[in-house]
Amino acid sequence: MVCFIVARRTTGVAHPPYAVVALTGYEIVTVFSADYNLTQKRWYDKWMPSSTLKSGGQCDPHVFNVGDSFTTNYTLFQWTIETIVRLNAGKSAIAYTGATLEDCDITALYFNGDIRTWTLDITAVANCSVANKFQVTARTAFSMTSLPGKHAPLLGVAGGAKTAQYTSGDPRGIALDVMINLAATEIADRMTQSYNLNPMNTKPIALSVGAVFPIRCPSSVGASAPCATSKPEFSIGDAAIIYPSNTVRIFDANYPVSDTNPQVVTDDTRAPLGNLIQTVHAALRVDLGNSNPNNIFLNPQYATPLVLENEFPRSSGMNSSTSMLYLATMMPTGLPIGLDKHLSDFFPVRIQGPASVAVVYLCRYQRRKSLPQAIIAVIVATLSMFSGGWAAFMLIATYLVKSKYKQANVCLEHGALDIPAYLTAYNPVSFGQEVRYRTTLEPISYDSTPYEPHLYSNPNYNPNYIV
């Protein structure tokens, strides 16, 4: 059987050859990028819709769960996510897409120091409120110690374990390490002197303190905000001291001072402890990219008199003394930190704006195929395109013609295609299981013989055209 369609001639739409090359001459490969907004520039971008060229579409977000660790791009401290305030990746995770940490700030600091080992353990808590992007609470922990068997330097700092010679590392990390060590040494010195100058078991050998910063002052508030130009306020909510006899005395700020709730932070430790808290607080803000003017690492000449205590008072048989930390920030050239280095070589610290989380994103990148592969791919795609277009054209044309001429799509046996011009349309007539055709111009009748119809009043009748 042969099938044909009666239809009008239509014109097709030509596809630009560059579209075929762009779609088939390249392949998608996976690359790693530290920039979530990775954008690839291609020669055919000028013909593409602008909506397909948006930044960030080529990379997948980095997903964090509770307990995951991260560093900022300043790489000074290692942070661990404690809580996720707002979930945006399933029921237990948060997706990070490169938002800056301009709404992050330190909310609490915890210290545990022991003069028997000259070790100070520090834990800090930061709160990030980057709306709908990175709302988490994170903590970091590190130690300052003279014990050679405890490896606890700041990230990015490589120094000798016993000689304290800074051989390499990030200058920012070296400055922070020197200053925090100096602040820790001052409070340890005060506690040691107080212990040695007073009868045994009357002065503590260990101190544990929790400090809270009630006013958040992230860099997003601006450098001229009152909290950015004044001394960072903190309060000591809980504190404890341990005596050589292993007696522990605890203070809780929620209750009034009494014999059972004694004030354990006295004149022996109050001033050096305040300097230590402010120094660690400022160092952590450097890692978050907080450039507020009241940071002693960024603006020592302005912030030091505002933030640090210059004098330690007379107490427990100790004479008043000047803070070496205060002098070092005001005159960094006078503090040697190595055989040929001074603090002024690394101080003051410079930062380049708000920090971001240092992660690597999984991105999709278009790479050109080799020439033989590209040629084959383009040829196959071109043929497939025209084959698909022809099939679509036939389908649409069939639908349009049949919707206008319900009898346009017919099938005839071989030899039945030489139909004279006067047969302008065809009406099928059934004779048993076969179909015969007649012109619409003439009537047809048939007798009891099913395969020999008789035509009347048709001078042009030719039985050869009746199959």
Side-chain angles (χ1 to χ4, degrees), residues 241-391:
I241 53 176
I242 303 175
Y243 292 92
S245 60
N246 293 328
T247 301
V248 180
R249 304 189 72 180
I250 300 176
F251 170 75
D252 188 343
N254 295 317
Y255 300 94
V257 177
S258 64
D259 292 339
T260 58
N261 188 43
Q263 180 61 264
V264 298
V265 178
T266 64
D267 289 343
D268 293 356
T269 55
R270 185 175 291 109
L273 177 61
N275 283 359
L276 174 64
I277 292 173
Q278 295 288 3
T279 301
V280 174
H281 181 258
L284 293 165
R285 278 185 164 182
V286 170
D287 193 43
L288 297 177
N290 189 321
S291 58
N292 288 346
N294 59 359
N295 192 308
I296 62 173
F297 290 96
L298 306 179
N299 304 287
Q301 298 300 316
Y302 169 78
T304 300
L306 178 70
V307 173
L308 297 183
E309 296 291 339
N310 182 24
E311 293 286 336
F312 299 152
R314 180 188 298 271
S315 175
S316 299
M318 296 181 290
N319 295 323
S320 60
S321 58
T322 302
S323 170
M324 294 300 298
L325 176 68
Y326 185 96
L327 294 178
T329 56
M330 295 298 289
M331 295 180 293
T333 55
L335 181 64
I337 59 173
L339 295 178
D340 58 350
K341 295 182 178 66
H342 290 77
L343 180 60
S344 57
D345 295 328
F346 312 100
F347 192 84
V349 172
R350 297 286 180 260
I351 59 175
Q352 292 78 41
S356 59
V357 179
V359 295
V360 175
Y361 302 96
L362 196 63
C363 304
R364 292 164 298 279
Y365 195 84
Q366 276 196 325
R367 183 179 64 186
R368 280 193 304 235
K369 295 180 180 178
S370 63
L371 184 59
Q373 289 180 326
I375 293 176
I376 295 174
V378 170
I379 293 175
V380 171
T382 303
L383 295 177
S384 300
M385 179 185 67
F386 282 107
S387 298
W390 176 252

Side-chain angles (χ1 to χ4, degrees), residues 11 32 57 81 95 145 159 163 195 221 241 266 283 307 311-312 359 458:
T11 56
F32 296 101
I81 295 179
T145 181
T163 60
Y195 176 78
V221 302
I241 53 176
T266 64
V307 173
E311 293 286 336
F312 299 152
V359 295
N458 185 3

Side-chain angles (χ1 to χ4, degrees), residues 39-50 52-53:
T39 301
Q40 182 182 8
K41 294 187 180 297
R42 295 155 296 206
W43 58 270
Y44 56 84
D45 283 346
K46 58 184 177 181
W47 292 294
M48 301 297 290
S50 59
T52 64
L53 304 176

Side-chain angles (χ1 to χ4, degrees), residues 86 94 96 99-104 127-136 216:
R86 185 182 181 90
I94 186 169
Y96 178 72
T100 57
L101 306 182
E102 58 187 9
D103 280 328
C104 296
N127 177 266
C128 295
S129 301
V130 184
N132 301 323
K133 295 181 180 179
F134 198 65
Q135 293 182 259
V136 301
R216 293 180 71 256

Side-chain angles (χ1 to χ4, degrees), residues 7 85 141 319 433 461:
V85 180
N319 295 323
Q433 296 181 351
Y461 166 68

